[in-house]
Amino acid sequence: MMEMEQYSRWFYTQLRVRYQETDQMGVVYHANYLNWFEIGRTELIRELGIQYIDIEKRGLLLPVTELTTKFRMPARYDDQITVCTRIAAYSSRKLHFQSEVRLFSDEERNALDSSPSLAVPEGKLLVSGETHHVWVNRDFRPVRMDKEAPELFVCLEQAVERMDPDA
């Protein structure tokens, strides 16, 4: 099955930068953004109605095979940041996410609370990135999600189909 290059809507997860996530310069240590990308992916899957732990209980894993990150501006201690995550492409064997870490104003955060399906993220872009994944079993052998977990594959398809193509 070909990889679909159609985007889902953005999913939003709000976090507050903790002191332990900063370095001596007073900014977020770069590796923490990767953790935040993972939080965004997990929450996206949860919002689709699937618990990631249930996927693993079925013997299915989703390791990262490729990662790109672009740092524009730093987040700092006590900033309330928003991790914006969407499905960028998928197939029965692969899943590709786009992530952005943004700093929203109070007004932008309130707008997000009233309309959680904003087509385009607002706020100041701090970091952007992409992660590519492949579905595997516990032996790290590739599997086809449309065969191993068809209900999950349908959820991914529906997440992308619900997206307005003009957004």
Side-chain angles (χ1 to χ4, degrees), residues 36-160:
W36 296 344
F37 287 2
E38 180 180 357
I39 290 169
R41 292 190 306 267
T42 301
E43 292 305 315
L44 181 157
I45 290 171
R46 184 184 319 277
E47 246 186 275
L48 293 178
I50 302 161
Q51 301 291 322
Y52 196 83
I53 195 165
D54 292 334
I55 296 170
E56 289 184 341
K57 284 179 184 175
R58 293 177 72 165
L60 301 170
L61 306 170
L62 190 60
V64 174
T65 58
E66 183 178 337
L67 165 71
T68 59
T69 309
K70 184 169 184 179
F71 299 91
R72 290 172 171 79
M73 298 181 67
R76 300 180 185 281
Y77 170 67
D78 208 37
D79 281 349
Q80 187 168 346
I81 54 109
T82 302
V83 180
C84 311
T85 312
R86 70 178 174 177
I87 298 168
Y90 72 98
S91 74
S92 62
R93 297 178 193 257
K94 297 177 183 180
L95 194 51
H96 170 192
F97 294 95
Q98 274 188 324
S99 300
E100 295 181 353
V101 175
R102 290 181 172 266
L103 188 60
F104 285 24
S105 68
D106 289 340
E107 290 174 359
E108 290 165 332
R109 200 168 19 272
N110 291 338
L112 179 62
D113 290 341
S114 64
S115 178
S117 61
L118 291 172
V120 177
E122 296 180 349
K124 187 183 301 180
L125 179 61
L126 305 178
V127 174
S128 61
E130 297 182 5
T131 57
H132 296 250
H133 308 258
V134 63
W135 290 105
V136 299
N137 62 22
R138 291 204 187 277
D139 296 324
F140 275 76
R141 297 200 184 276
V143 297
R144 289 181 53 120
M145 285 310 292
D146 57 342
K147 305 289 185 208
E148 296 290 324
E151 70 284 356
L152 173 59
F153 192 70
V154 167
C155 283
L156 294 174
E157 287 181 315
Q158 290 174 344
V160 170

